Amino acid sequence: MTVESPLADRIEATRTQALDAIAQASTLDDLEALRIRFLGRKGELTTALSAMGKLPAEERPRIGALANEVKRDLERRLEEREQALGEEALRRRLETERVDVTLPGTDWPRGIRHPLIQALREVVDIFRRMGYEVIEGPEVEWDEYNFTKLNIPPHHPARDMWESLYLSEDMLLRTHTSPAQARIMESRQPPLRVIVPGRCYRNEAEDATHGIQFLQIEGLVVDRGITLADLKGTLHALCAAYFGPQRKIRFRPSYFPFTEPSAEVDVACAVCGGARCRSCGFKGWLELLGSGMVHPNVLRFAGYDPEVYSGFAFGMGPDRLAIQRYAIDDLRVFRENDLRFLEQFR
Ligand code: DAH
């Protein structure tokens, strides 16, 4: 049905014009602009309808119906075009960003923990399972803690056992983790059961078994009634856990100013099992750690009564442990950063 009226013509003309423009719109922004231009509150269709008031009453429903029909028509076309443009955009993106899923992936090199750190963590874990608490001490240490409180007074020849790197008259890079013993005893009361991992420094000529910087793990137990049997049992447990129960160890009397009696623990050579070979220098045994019963003076310096409390202590290098476990004959390989060596500990 055609409606003969100038207003109807105007509405039809708007429809034609709008449909043309919609068909030619090439972006979603264009479409939005057209929606506003034709259907908006001040849009062309709306303005055309505002002229309705001047029409005779009997024409109004027909023009109104036409206007509504045109409005729905335009809305539908806008929506269709919007969908078409969206699909088109997606298709173009998929085309340009196509991924060949059959290509081999990019291999990111994954690092591993350094074998010495692995050894250190493993030993710390073994002690943690035995109920030890892990603490740390400073790497820059007072002479007093590194030596004096460990029963090595100034000018005592025992200081020559450690090739120290002094930073000033009374301060040095700690030569061992033992000063942490004095620190923890001063700050707490027994019972104590602590393990102290950390870095130490010595002024040494580097060779197969010495470096100027190295790791140590210190242990200290203080309580009433601690005996040498507790020390032996603990270190046997450590070696059994770290090397396996088959590996032989031995206690050899030794001397440390801060323990009395003192003992070193040797482990049977990883290569010959104690039968003596080239790799153990025909000794059959290799030195693993130092240990002993805490010297009464050391307890006294910390304010503990040696008549009431006793304790044992030990200090070891994870590098020594690691070379004995893996039968490595030169400590320096750990610090050369040769990936071919390090990768074996993955
Ligand atoms: N601090 C000693 C060193 O570096 C090792 C050591 C020996 C630690 C006996 C101890 C110990 O706690 O009781 O050579």
Side-chain angles (χ1 to χ4, degrees):
M1 175 181 63
T2 48
V3 182
E4 304 237 359
S5 106
L7 187 51
D9 290 349
R10 195 172 145 196
I11 290 172
E12 281 299 349
T14 301
R15 185 210 308 253
T16 317
Q17 208 187 350
L19 291 182
D20 250 17
I22 291 169
Q24 275 165 38
S26 58
T27 68
L28 296 175
D29 284 347
D30 288 352
L31 283 183
E32 187 52 27
L34 291 175
R35 182 194 309 281
I36 292 165
R37 179 175 149 200
F38 290 105
L39 300 175
R41 273 196 326 121
K42 291 183 181 157
E44 293 187 18
L45 197 60
T46 323
T47 356
L49 283 175
S50 64
M52 270 224 308
K54 295 177 194 131
L55 291 178
E58 68 277 13
E59 275 194 36
R60 281 183 209 164
R62 296 198 326 233
I63 297 293
L66 173 67
N68 272 331
E69 194 242 306
V70 169
K71 188 173 170 232
R72 277 196 301 272
D73 192 19
L74 294 190
E75 277 169 353
R76 202 183 61 241
R77 297 302 185 92
L78 277 168
E79 199 174 312
E80 281 169 10
R81 187 75 190 128
E82 189 179 315
Q83 203 171 355
L85 285 178
E87 277 166 16
E88 167 71 11
L90 181 64
R91 201 186 48 73
R92 235 179 295 125
R93 239 183 85 196
L94 289 176
E95 193 66 36
T96 52
E97 296 176 10
R98 173 168 293 170
V99 177
D100 183 351
V101 294
T102 65
L103 282 174
T106 314
D107 193 12
W108 294 93
R110 248 176 314 133
I112 51 161
R113 282 217 172 88
H114 191 279
L116 289 183
I117 298 296
Q118 288 185 30
L120 180 122
R121 287 186 168 227
E122 212 173 309
V123 169
V124 166
D125 270 355
I126 290 167
F127 281 105
R128 213 183 267 156
R129 289 202 293 276
M130 291 197 261
Y132 282 66
E133 179 187 349
V134 183
I135 62 160
E136 285 184 285
E139 289 177 29
V140 174
E141 186 55 281
W142 298 111
D143 175 289
E144 190 173 356
Y145 283 93
N146 197 81
F147 292 127
T148 316
K149 287 175 190 262
L150 293 174
N151 203 28
I152 316 168
H155 312 301
H156 193 281
R159 291 200 177 200
D160 295 345
M161 287 171 74
W162 294 272
E163 302 290 336
S164 317
L165 290 160
Y166 275 88
L167 300 176
S168 72
E169 189 96 340
D170 52 3
M171 193 179 260
L172 71 162
L173 294 176
R174 67 176 174 193
T175 58
H176 48 184
T177 42
S178 305
Q181 289 188 30
R183 286 181 173 274
I184 190 78
M185 282 194 279
E186 273 181 6
S187 64
R188 297 209 209 152
Q189 287 302 307
L192 287 179
R193 204 163 11 156
V194 297
I195 195 96
V196 192
R199 253 169 238 295
C200 307
Y201 305 83
R202 285 184 205 173
N203 184 16
E204 305 217 63
E206 301 231 324
D207 66 19
T209 51
H210 299 88
I212 65 157
Q213 186 256 88
F214 52 95
L215 293 165
Q216 270 197 350
I217 305 171
E218 189 83 12
L220 174 70
V221 171
V222 183
D223 202 349
R224 290 169 198 264
I226 298 291
T227 70
L228 190 66
D230 296 311
L231 170 64
K232 285 190 78 173
T234 302
L235 295 179
H236 266 293
L238 162 71
C239 292
Y242 188 76
F243 295 112
Q246 309 306 330
R247 195 78 174 274
K248 278 197 205 127
I249 62 166
R250 71 173 182 191
F251 285 74
R252 177 168 44 78
S254 182
Y255 168 74
F256 295 102
F258 32 91
T259 44
E260 182 58 34
S262 305
E264 281 179 73
V265 172
D266 297 336
V267 61
C269 170
V271 175
C272 62
R276 297 163 193 258
C277 69
R278 271 250 302 276
S279 100
C280 54
F282 298 100
K283 285 189 260 167
W285 298 90
L286 289 133
E287 182 190 317
L288 207 56
L289 58 87
S291 67
M293 300 307 291
V294 180
H295 195 289
N297 282 349
V298 174
L299 294 172
R300 224 172 267 128
F301 291 148
Y304 292 0
D305 181 353
E307 298 298 323
V308 178
Y309 294 110
S310 57
F312 66 79
F314 52 87
M316 69 189 95
D319 40 11
R320 294 272 167 91
L321 289 157
I323 59 175
Q324 283 314 308
R325 174 138 113 188
Y326 302 116
I328 293 165
D329 56 7
D330 192 329
L331 277 183
R332 283 171 293 194
V333 292
F334 286 123
R335 274 176 272 119
E336 282 165 353
N337 287 332
D338 184 337
L339 287 180
R340 291 167 304 178
F341 171 74
L342 296 174
E343 284 280 342
Q344 299 175 80
F345 296 88
R346 188 173 286 281

